[in-house]
Amino acid sequence: MRVRGEQHVVSRQHLDIADGMRYMQKNDVRSYWEYLNDFNDAYSKASAFWEEIKPFYIKLHDFVKRRLYNYYKLNNISTEIPVYLLGNNFGRDWSNIADIILPHPQLHYDAESFLKYKNLQEIYLLAENLTDTISLGKLGEKFWINSRFNMTFCEPHILSFCSQEYTEVYDCNESSWITYLDAHETAFTIALRNQDYNSLMRQSLRYSSIDNGIITLGSLLAIENLEHHGIVNKDVLNVTSIDDSWEMTKLLLTALRVIPKLPYYLAADEWRLTELENPSENLAATWWQF
């Protein structure tokens, strides 16, 4: 049965490739990419959504820039933020500088203080509790047996074994605010894969905006459930019902994690599409235009 199942997956994968090739012969690159992500008119909708979110992004960008320039005592001579100040190589996640940006940093400070005494395996246990609570299920016994949390690199690397129907992760054993968020997104990724390994190879040929949205929810729910995880305590922080700094801090932590990704990935996608449709002689130059 397993062999037939695997043959079915490969056959289905070949059919998808063939369908894609036939589709490409009749349509342009933009239509083909939209066909792959099952989201009609995705580029137009993405551009429209960006126009809605752009005013907020500009306000967030300006706020973060002012906080950074004030912290490092820099002159405000640019409308841009130097990427080396953002704690991320590509500037698409500003969570690393939360301690500088937050006007009310106590919640984040207490979370960091809690996490530094935990190992990464304990963080994944918290994440698994969350995936199980929202009915995505547990990460699985084989995950815990085969995963390694003693690597020299500190970034989750996921390996899935479709025939054995499990996924394992390789990462270092350092716990921080970033690894806490990353672990939750990784756990959500694994929980989704655990739903159906038979179609995993087929899924890899496509882009599921729904699945990626669910995965991103991992870090959002990680922030929202800090008290549920026992990481912070409102009573200890003396948070009252009329004190909105608690919720505002969580919203800002969410914004620092999510919002910078939107223009980065939209720019990257539109740049690739432009290059495929109208190739230029200088790739780097066109990238900086975007």
Side-chain angles (χ1 to χ4, degrees), residues 194-243:
N194 285 346
Q195 305 300 312
D196 182 11
Y197 279 97
N198 281 335
S199 63
L200 188 58
M201 286 192 290
R202 179 172 180 261
Q203 292 171 20
S204 67
L205 296 173
R206 309 179 80 84
Y207 173 88
S208 171
S209 53
I210 295 176
D211 282 3
N212 278 269
I214 292 173
I215 291 167
T216 302
L217 277 176
S219 56
L220 273 63
L221 291 175
I223 295 170
E224 185 61 34
N225 284 274
L226 286 168
E227 190 175 21
H228 173 75
H229 282 334
I231 295 175
V232 296
N233 190 313
K234 278 187 176 182
D235 295 332
V236 174
L237 292 176
N238 294 319
V239 176
T240 65
S241 59
I242 61 173
D243 184 3

Side-chain angles (χ1 to χ4, degrees), residues 149-182:
F149 302 100
N150 58 354
M151 310 307 293
T152 56
F153 52 80
C154 289
E155 184 180 7
H157 291 253
I158 301 174
L159 291 177
S160 292
F161 298 86
C162 297
S163 62
Q164 301 176 56
E165 298 186 341
Y166 83 94
T167 297
E168 59 192 48
V169 67
Y170 293 80
D171 207 340
C172 71
N173 198 30
E174 295 182 12
S175 294
S176 66
W177 180 247
I178 297 298
T179 57
Y180 170 72
L181 299 179
D182 287 345

Side-chain angles (χ1 to χ4, degrees), residues 12-30:
R12 180 66 257 182
Q13 188 178 26
H14 289 165
L15 286 173
D16 280 346
I17 294 173
D19 287 345
M21 294 301 293
R22 285 193 292 269
Y23 194 92
M24 275 290 289
Q25 292 172 358
K26 299 178 180 179
N27 298 274
D28 57 17
V29 175
R30 180 187 298 262

Side-chain angles (χ1 to χ4, degrees), residues 114-115 117-129 139-151 169-176 179-180 183-184 187 229:
F114 176 91
L115 292 171
Y117 294 108
K118 300 295 179 180
N119 59 50
L120 194 60
Q121 190 168 351
E122 291 175 297
I123 304 303
Y124 272 92
L125 283 169
L126 294 177
E128 182 184 54
N129 177 265
L139 302 182
E141 183 180 355
K142 290 181 180 179
F143 167 84
W144 294 109
I145 293 174
N146 294 285
S147 293
R148 296 290 178 266
F149 302 100
N150 58 354
M151 310 307 293
V169 67
Y170 293 80
D171 207 340
C172 71
N173 198 30
E174 295 182 12
S175 294
S176 66
T179 57
Y180 170 72
H184 278 73
H229 282 334

